[in-house]
Amino acid sequence: MIANKSKLIVSAVAVSVATFSHLSVAQENSYPSERLNYIIAFGPGGGNDLMSRTVVDILNDYDLYGGQNIVVANRAGGSGAIGYSHVKRQHGNPYVATSTSGNFITTPLIADTDWNYSDFTPIALLASDAMFLVVREDSDYHNVDDFVEAAQSSRIIVGGTGSSGPSRVVASLFSEEADIRLEYVPAGTGGEMVTALTSGSVEAIVANPSEVAGQIAAGNFRALAFSDAQRSDIYPDVPTFQELGYDFTFALPRGVVLPGGVDSDVQEWWVSALKEVVETEEWNKYLETNSLSGTYLWGDEFGDYLQETSEVYERTLRNIGAI
């Protein structure tokens, strides 16, 4: 089970303290004094690219990087393997940063990479990418208990994106905790998954909120439960699996890391800077637009979260024979 994650509570005092800490560390250590190379391990236009450029734009617009230049470069390939490998090889370099995503956890587990989460300096979890259990609005399953009761006496087909992605992991964790058997059918894309539910090819899907937001808004789909430790900021009426008595949580990390071996004072500087980033209107607009929850962990707590997430993912993939 992944530990609960703390929400950042912003107050005037907290803002002033974060700002003071940010400036004092910068003054004491003369950091930053060089250009930052922000590496995006995926191609333009995707979720990781959008989050990374949002963070960089805010750093620039609010002059949070000490007046220094930030250069953004996409190094796509190998489901993140190429870009993350490049950053990993910059060991000890405080002027390289990158953003995490689901592939930051999954790629080292299913591919032969020269890195994993432990090769990086954790800075901040900024948003959680969790999953909904979704049915059609005309479904007989009005809540999770209805769903579980039906699954105890009949076969239920559940769809999701990919054979070993987060949809499969959440479906497996749910079936294990509820002591039910689900028949999981993978789709190639989120669109195909939505079509499968619409057409009745599957009775439910496990989907990222952004993949089903339009159908929920149109009244075609109903979300029964959310896989994060806390309810979604965007869909506060959808209960979590955990609060319904199914004791698991699962979400993939959207955050920021630096190469391993970076000094702790630089880590502290970045934590302070990103605390200012998430206070901005631009960041909260990004969260709302992309149906993401603003879930914040800082420094080594983020590192612990990465470890726990990786362990849960690996155990689940081994249980289903994916690795």
Side-chain angles (χ1 to χ4, degrees):
M1 180 181 71
I2 297 176
N4 289 358
K5 301 176 286 300
S6 302
K7 297 278 184 175
L8 178 66
I9 302 175
V10 179
S11 66
V13 174
V15 172
S16 63
V17 169
T19 303
F20 175 77
S21 175
H22 181 198
L23 294 176
S24 65
V25 173
Q27 291 168 352
E28 180 180 348
N29 298 285
S30 299
Y31 181 91
S33 60
E34 298 180 16
R35 179 186 74 183
L36 177 72
N37 293 306
Y38 203 108
I39 304 301
I40 302 173
F42 304 91
N48 188 277
D49 182 77
L50 178 59
M51 191 201 86
S52 300
R53 293 181 185 276
T54 299
V55 169
V56 170
D57 285 347
I58 294 171
L59 289 170
N60 284 329
D61 292 346
Y62 287 82
D63 195 23
L64 297 177
Y65 189 63
Q68 300 295 323
N69 191 28
I70 302 177
V71 176
V72 179
N74 295 85
R75 286 179 173 261
S79 297
I82 291 176
Y84 290 134
S85 180
H86 172 79
V87 176
K88 182 253 187 181
R89 293 196 299 270
Q90 311 300 310
H91 186 82
N93 184 351
Y95 293 100
V96 179
T98 190
S99 296
T100 67
S101 68
N103 292 93
F104 186 71
I105 297 295
T106 60
T107 297
L109 294 176
I110 62 179
D112 184 19
T113 65
D114 64 349
W115 57 271
N116 63 31
Y117 71 89
S118 66
D119 292 308
F120 298 82
T121 299
I123 302 300
L125 174 69
L126 301 181
S128 58
D129 210 356
M131 312 296 284
F132 278 154
L133 175 66
V134 180
V135 297
R136 294 190 307 277
E137 184 60 37
D138 61 359
S139 171
D140 291 334
Y141 311 135
H142 297 283
N143 52 54
V144 171
D145 287 343
D146 289 344
F147 187 93
V148 170
E149 183 178 355
Q152 289 171 340
S153 58
S154 61
R155 183 185 69 166
I156 293 183
I157 303 175
V158 176
T161 304
S163 59
S164 57
S167 295
R168 180 70 180 274
V169 171
V170 170
S172 297
L173 291 171
F174 175 41
S175 61
E176 177 183 319
E177 180 64 25
D179 195 23
I180 56 177
R181 296 188 65 179
L182 302 174
E183 183 175 338
Y184 180 84
V185 177
T189 66
E192 292 173 2
M193 174 181 60
V194 168
T195 298
L197 182 58
T198 302
S199 67
S201 299
V202 299
E203 295 176 72
I205 57 175
V206 177
N208 186 275
S210 63
E211 295 173 314
V212 294
Q215 296 289 340
I216 291 175
N220 299 323
F221 288 177
R222 179 169 62 245
L224 300 183
F226 189 49
S227 71
D228 210 346
Q230 300 172 14
R231 293 193 182 198
S232 166
D233 297 337
I234 311 302
Y235 298 94
D237 294 333
V238 180
T240 67
F241 284 101
Q242 194 170 55
E243 70 183 84
L244 294 172
Y246 304 96
D247 195 15
F248 76 93
T249 64
F250 188 81
L252 292 173
R254 292 185 182 268
V256 175
V257 296
L258 270 61
V262 171
D263 289 344
S264 59
D265 57 349
V266 174
Q267 182 189 41
E268 179 186 347
W269 186 95
W270 271 101
V271 166
S272 296
L274 292 180
K275 283 183 177 179
E276 295 184 59
V277 167
V278 301
E279 293 162 5
T280 65
E281 180 181 352
E282 291 86 344
W283 177 255
N284 286 282
K285 182 178 179 180
Y286 159 79
L287 294 176
E288 182 176 357
T289 300
N290 293 277
S291 300
L292 294 170
S293 294
T295 309
Y296 307 120
L297 287 174
W298 308 106
D300 292 339
E301 287 188 351
F302 179 37
D304 293 340
Y305 173 74
L306 290 171
Q307 179 180 352
E308 293 168 5
T309 304
S310 181
E311 288 173 351
V312 170
Y313 210 115
E314 181 176 9
R315 176 177 63 82
T316 304
L317 293 183
R318 291 193 184 281
N319 287 344
I320 65 177
I323 58 175

